[in-house]
Amino acid sequence: MLRTALRNLLAHKARLMMTALAVLLGVAFVAGTLVFSDTVSSAVKKASEKNLDGVAVSVQAEAADSSPDVGKDGKRTTLVDEKLADKIRALPGVQSVRSNVNGTATVAGPDNVPLGHDWQNLATNFQPDKDGHDPHYPLLKGRGPAAGNEIALDEATAKASGRKIGDSVRLATDGPVLTKKLVGIVSTDDPQVTAGGSLTLFDTATAQKLFLHPGQFDELVIGAAPGADQEALTDKVREVLPKDRATATSGANLAAEQSMMVSSQNKALTQTLLTFAGIALFVGVFIIANTFTMLISQRSREIALMRAIGASRRQVVRSVLAEAALLGLISSAVGFALGIGLAVGLRAVLEANGAGFPDGPVVISPAAVLSALGVGVVVTVLAAWLPSRKAAKIAPVEALNTVEAPPALRSLVLRNSLGAVITGLGIATMCYVSTLKKADDLPIAMVGGMLTLTGVIILAPMLSRPLVSLAGIVTTRLFGISGKLATENTLRNPRRTAATASALMIGLTLITGMTVVGNSAGQAMDKMTAQGLKADYKIGTSSGLDPKLAQKVVDVPGVEAAAPLRNTGFTTPHSSMGLMGTDLRTIGKVIQLDFISGSLKGAGGNDIAVSQEMAKMKGWQTGDTLDATFYDKKKAKLKIVGIYADNQVLGDSVGATSLAAPHQIVPMVESLLVKAQDGPSEGLAKQIRHALGDSPLLKVQDHADLRKENAASIEMVLNVSYGLLGMAVIIAVVGVVNTLAMSVFERTREIGMLRAIGLARSGIKQMVRLESVVIALFGAGLGIAVGVFCSWATGNLVSQGLPTYELLLPWGRLALFVLIALVVGMLAALWPARRAARLNVLEAIGAQ
């Protein structure tokens, strides 16, 4: 029987080619994901280990933004100083101590565009030895910074900024824009920098002035003497540290922590890619099952003969499964090779979009090989299991008398009954989901969506009859006998048609659902951006604006009004809420405030207005007094002078700048809302930027910029999803080609008869093409319908994060999906139609 399986595999190479391609693509997706994950993880891990080379112990200062360690000047205060460094140097086993000051600095590139990625733009102090070299940052050109007006940059940042030794460089830390002279270019193995960030080096005194206070450090990096025990040395260091103000971690533990962090960062991306790979393989299941069902139908006489000469049912099942296993193994091996190429390509694409991964070789682990090959073989065998059972049930006499028996009525009744129950459960679950309002209920929505999709897949043969018949009316009227024959061929085996269409339906269900939710969320964010915002510009930076600097915007010619937003918060005996401090005289000019009761007219001191939602939740009314404790532990009695309709900009409550500012841990303006006298203009935007120091961190955004920024993340997610789900659609197209090609083989004699009675080659081609188009449109119709239904049901879950969310169908994109399905049907039919039209009439009529 094994030899029989091998012979069948070799005898039907052409018919199994498309099935092999479906398995190959699915396995390539899985293999590519696993190899990509292993490659990136290995590269980052090695870069981290190299960066930690020689680190025996790391002493880090404890300081948090919410602690008194951060002063009003925004600088941290630590107890890690030179005295502590000297104590540690005196410990036995210590060979060296490196004193680091850590911060961030963003360098301005060409056209003042910021380089790198905010949190990856590192800044620290250059620590030269006797020869003027810092072993941690080897000099490539020039020298290290030695004065307040000098800096050194890493090689990639210097190149990206277009700066050479001696040039002036503009950069920004947490304060105003700085201009420094570039005196050195260094290399670094720090993974944050090599992964797309930047490195700016100052002399130690300047770094302390910018980020800490004179004589203070963020970290002490300790090198051990030869033979010293890391853990023992770490314990000794801990004994001399100021209690609760610094921590000591051994180099080994630090490397382990970084390794875990890398793994967790890659885990989400890997799981996402594997989810899409699973979808692609799930789609492939329909193609594999369809192919083996058709092959078994075509080989029914052969199977009957085997049964007649003594083959048992179990042997028949084994033969089919062995054939599937061989097909899966060969396809998976080729798919794995393709997956390596996909991994390299994916990394290149992400690099081009600014992901910035450290350099490293492609890593192919045994686990990735076994997982990819195992998945491919298991999926193929499982998909062939039901067809193998069907083959084993063929009665020898029946099979010898007929080529293909119609499906038993009982099996269709059972299938439709089961499908109705599952679909009903899915619809009921999704209707229940439509009443839920918590994001935590998303798993219920996923279960409901899966039940609905599964139920529709099971019911697809029953649904195909009315829907395909309806399409047949159109094809018959437009294309005559070819259209009528195409409809009848499609309806001849509804289960085959349903299985072929279901593969396409799955991909379009997911794409449609994501598109509808994404489009609705994008429109909601547009509304939220514009709702109540009368200002022409919103100005801010990633680290906030200097309050004194913000005042200069008011004096810019053409500015009508400006309102700074300064965020803090307080607690009451039963709640915690945010407080937005602003200029109460001008806030009404930049924000549309609709009061339910009271107003801000004449408000000041400890007067506040609260949002309608907060007032309703706490039972507050205008005139109430709150006992508040601010986040800096100071207390005050706040009077509610008004309740306003919920406003996304102001949040829970609003009061005067004089109320909020004293309680900010770090005095800053989160954003500045500006109303222009004559509306927004490019000239005014430039003047505002100039007034604020032309910082590369500065964002001066009008309504269009805000909409674009909000839509960018959604569009990126949608585009990535389209690309990943495109693999499932491609596999579905392969399924349509496969089904049509095998269907043409089955109908060889019938096509010969049609040609003999006068149907031209063009008519044969048209018949096959229309059959393909009808199947594709049937799958697209079901997929779009299920996708729209699921996106409607999950609307409430999305609306909790976006109060302005409402379901809006993107009719243009939905029409595009239908058009794509039409094109898919036409393209999928090219080869089968050509093959059918080229059949020799006499040979076709004589075919068995």
Side-chain angles (χ1 to χ4, degrees):
M1 297 304 292
L2 182 59
R3 287 198 300 271
T4 302
L6 183 59
R7 181 187 63 79
N8 285 329
L9 187 64
L10 295 175
H12 303 103
K13 294 188 293 292
R15 277 179 266 175
L16 289 171
M17 187 184 302
M18 291 299 172
T19 305
L21 185 57
V23 179
L24 183 152
L25 291 175
V27 170
F29 212 152
V30 174
T33 299
L34 296 175
V35 171
F36 169 78
S37 177
D38 290 341
T39 298
V40 172
S41 296
S42 175
V44 175
K45 185 177 180 180
K46 286 181 179 178
S48 298
E49 289 173 352
K50 190 173 182 180
N51 191 52
L52 292 173
D53 187 30
V55 178
V57 185
S58 172
V59 174
Q60 294 182 329
E62 291 287 342
D65 289 348
S66 59
S67 74
D69 292 331
V70 179
K72 291 292 184 180
D73 57 1
K75 298 177 183 178
R76 301 181 303 280
T77 299
T78 78
L79 295 184
V80 177
D81 52 20
E82 196 59 47
K83 290 182 180 179
L84 179 61
D86 289 338
K87 285 183 181 179
I88 294 174
R89 285 190 184 94
L91 294 174
V94 173
Q95 186 177 51
S96 63
V97 176
R98 181 181 178 85
S99 307
N100 292 340
V101 178
N102 300 324
T104 60
T106 300
V107 176
D111 298 325
N112 209 41
V113 175
L115 300 177
H117 309 286
D118 294 339
W119 63 274
Q120 290 180 276
N121 292 337
L122 306 184
T124 187
N125 54 319
F126 186 84
Q127 301 176 53
D129 55 19
K130 295 178 181 179
D131 299 325
H133 297 281
D134 186 336
H136 201 66
Y137 301 111
L139 281 165
L140 300 176
K141 293 180 182 179
R143 59 177 176 81
N149 66 332
E150 297 177 345
I151 61 167
L153 297 175
D154 66 283
E155 186 178 20
T157 303
K159 184 177 180 181
S161 65
R163 300 293 190 270
K164 299 177 182 178
I165 300 296
D167 288 348
S168 294
V169 178
R170 298 183 72 254
L171 66 146
T173 57
D174 291 336
V177 178
L178 307 173
T179 301
K180 305 285 185 180
K181 181 180 179 181
L182 180 63
V183 297
I185 296 176
V186 303
S187 65
T188 178
D189 296 318
D190 193 310
Q192 283 187 238
V193 179
T194 57
S198 66
L199 173 68
T200 304
L201 296 175
F202 302 92
D203 67 284
T204 298
T206 303
Q208 289 173 333
K209 181 180 179 181
L210 288 171
F211 306 115
L212 294 171
H213 293 89
Q216 297 178 355
F217 302 100
D218 288 297
E219 180 184 24
L220 301 177
V221 178
I222 301 161
D229 181 79
Q230 274 196 14
E231 295 300 329
L233 183 59
T234 303
D235 291 336
K236 291 178 183 178
V237 170
R238 287 193 181 114
E239 292 176 1
V240 301
L241 296 182
K243 189 176 181 181
D244 298 327
R245 301 302 294 274
T247 59
T249 307
S250 68
N253 289 338
L254 203 61
E257 289 174 4
Q258 288 200 5
S259 180
M260 288 181 62
M261 182 180 68
V262 170
S263 298
S264 63
Q265 287 174 345
N266 287 333
K267 187 176 180 181
L269 177 59
T270 301
Q271 288 178 340
T272 301
L273 292 173
L274 285 177
T275 299
F276 285 102
I279 294 169
L281 285 170
F282 183 57
V283 170
V285 166
F286 289 88
I287 299 170
I288 298 165
N290 217 15
T291 301
F292 276 93
T293 299
M294 296 173 75
L295 281 175
I296 286 165
S297 175
Q298 294 167 15
R299 285 158 37 193
S300 56
R301 291 189 177 185
E302 176 188 325
I303 294 170
L305 181 59
M306 291 171 59
R307 294 278 287 116
I309 62 175
S312 66
R313 290 187 174 185
R314 182 174 295 179
Q315 285 177 313
V316 172
V317 171
R318 287 177 182 172
S319 176
V320 175
L321 294 183
E323 187 177 344
L326 288 170
L327 176 68
L329 183 60
I330 295 170
S331 303
S332 298
V334 179
F336 186 83
L338 179 61
I340 296 173
L342 286 177
V344 174
L346 177 61
R347 183 174 179 179
V349 169
L350 292 177
E351 286 277 14
N353 285 276
F357 298 116
D359 293 332
V362 175
V363 177
I364 303 174
S365 65
V369 176
L370 294 175
S371 298
L373 295 181
V375 165
V377 173
V378 169
V379 166
T380 308
V381 171
L382 287 178
W385 182 71
L386 285 178
S388 72
R389 299 270 297 176
K390 180 181 178 182
K393 291 178 181 180
I394 294 176
V397 174
E398 291 180 12
L400 290 171
N401 289 330
T402 183
V403 174
E404 183 180 2
L409 179 62
R410 182 184 177 190
S411 66
L412 291 176
V413 171
L414 288 174
R415 175 173 181 150
N416 293 339
S417 300
L418 178 63
V421 171
I422 294 177
T423 305
L425 284 173
I427 292 174
T429 303
M430 295 308 288
C431 289
Y432 170 66
V433 167
S434 68
T435 66
L436 302 177
K437 296 183 178 180
K438 294 181 180 178
D440 295 340
D441 296 320
L442 184 59
I444 301 176
M446 294 175 67
V447 171
M450 290 177 63
L451 285 173
T452 305
L453 182 59
T454 303
V456 173
I457 290 172
I458 296 173
L459 286 177
M462 183 186 73
L463 296 172
S464 68
R465 291 190 178 276
L467 294 177
V468 171
S469 297
L470 184 62
I473 296 174
V474 178
T475 57
T476 302
R477 288 186 178 180
L478 293 178
F479 302 100
I481 188 64
S482 296
K484 184 174 180 61
L485 287 171
T487 303
E488 292 180 354
N489 289 334
T490 306
L491 291 173
R492 181 179 299 183
N493 193 327
R495 286 186 294 188
R496 180 186 301 173
T497 297
T500 306
S502 294
L504 186 60
M505 181 189 77
I506 295 167
L508 280 177
T509 295
L510 296 170
I511 289 174
T512 300
M514 287 185 162
T515 300
V516 172
V517 172
N519 176 74
S520 301
Q523 296 291 333
M525 293 183 77
D526 280 352
K527 285 183 181 179
M528 195 167 68
T529 300
Q531 190 178 53
L533 188 63
K534 297 194 294 186
D536 294 305
Y537 293 106
K538 181 179 180 182
I539 304 168
T541 71
S542 58
S543 57
L545 292 169
D546 184 336
K548 295 178 181 178
L549 202 60
Q551 290 293 326
K552 295 183 178 181
V553 175
V554 181
D555 300 326
V556 174
V559 171
E560 179 182 339
L565 300 180
R566 303 182 67 166
N567 195 18
T568 185
F570 61 87
T571 60
T572 63
H574 303 292
S575 64
S576 177
M577 58 191 293
L579 172 65
M580 189 66 73
T582 188
D583 186 341
L584 299 183
R585 298 169 301 174
T586 60
I587 190 64
K589 295 182 179 180
V590 296
I591 290 179
Q592 179 64 47
L593 268 177
D594 298 319
F595 278 88
I596 309 301
S597 64
S599 72
L600 286 173
K601 188 176 181 179
N606 288 356
D607 296 336
I608 64 169
V610 299
S611 67
Q612 184 180 12
E613 181 182 8
M614 185 61 67
K616 184 178 180 181
M617 185 187 306
K618 302 301 178 183
W620 294 333
Q621 296 180 349
T622 299
D624 288 351
T625 300
L626 308 179
D627 292 321
T629 301
F630 287 92
Y631 292 161
D632 61 355
K633 308 303 181 184
K634 295 180 181 178
K635 299 183 179 183
K637 289 187 178 294
L638 305 179
K639 183 179 179 182
I640 299 176
V641 297
I643 297 173
Y644 56 87
D646 295 340
N647 187 289
Q648 294 297 314
V649 178
L650 296 181
D652 296 334
S653 65
V654 61
T657 301
S658 59
L659 174 62
H663 304 292
Q664 285 187 300
I665 302 300
V666 179
M668 70 170 67
V669 173
E670 275 74 19
S671 59
L672 184 68
L673 302 180
V674 176
K675 180 70 175 176
Q677 293 176 354
D678 302 316
S681 66
E682 186 176 347
L684 181 57
K686 287 183 178 180
Q687 291 182 56
I688 292 174
R689 291 189 66 89
H690 183 69
L692 293 173
D694 281 326
S695 170
L697 300 178
L698 190 65
K699 290 183 178 180
V700 180
Q701 298 171 295
D702 58 19
H703 284 224
D705 294 328
L706 291 171
R707 288 192 180 96
K708 185 177 179 180
E709 184 179 65
N710 290 334
S713 57
I714 295 176
E715 284 296 321
M716 183 183 71
V717 171
L718 283 178
N719 290 334
V720 170
S721 300
Y722 289 159
L724 296 174
L725 287 172
M727 182 71 77
V729 175
I730 291 172
I731 293 175
V733 173
V734 170
V736 177
V737 176
N738 200 30
T739 299
L740 288 174
M742 298 186 73
S743 180
V744 167
F745 178 84
E746 282 184 348
R747 306 199 312 258
T748 299
R749 179 183 293 182
E750 176 186 318
I751 292 170
M753 290 297 295
L754 289 171
R755 291 279 287 116
I757 62 176
L759 189 60
R761 291 180 187 271
S762 59
I764 296 293
K765 286 184 178 180
Q766 191 173 71
M767 176 186 71
V768 177
R769 283 198 296 265
L770 289 174
E771 186 178 346
S772 176
V773 167
V774 168
I775 292 173
L777 290 178
F778 171 58
L782 288 182
I784 291 173
V786 176
V788 170
F789 170 72
C790 290
S791 58
W792 163 79
T794 55
N796 269 348
L797 300 181
V798 181
S799 66
Q800 294 311 296
L802 289 171
T804 54
Y805 180 90
E806 60 178 322
L807 186 71
L808 295 171
L809 296 180
W811 293 108
R813 291 200 181 186
L814 295 182
L816 179 62
F817 295 159
V818 174
L819 180 61
I820 289 173
L822 180 65
V823 173
V824 162
M826 295 177 68
L827 293 177
L830 289 177
W831 177 57
R834 180 179 175 82
R835 184 168 179 263
R838 297 183 68 179
L839 288 174
N840 183 283
V841 176
L842 294 178
E843 290 178 1
I845 293 174
Q848 296 295 321

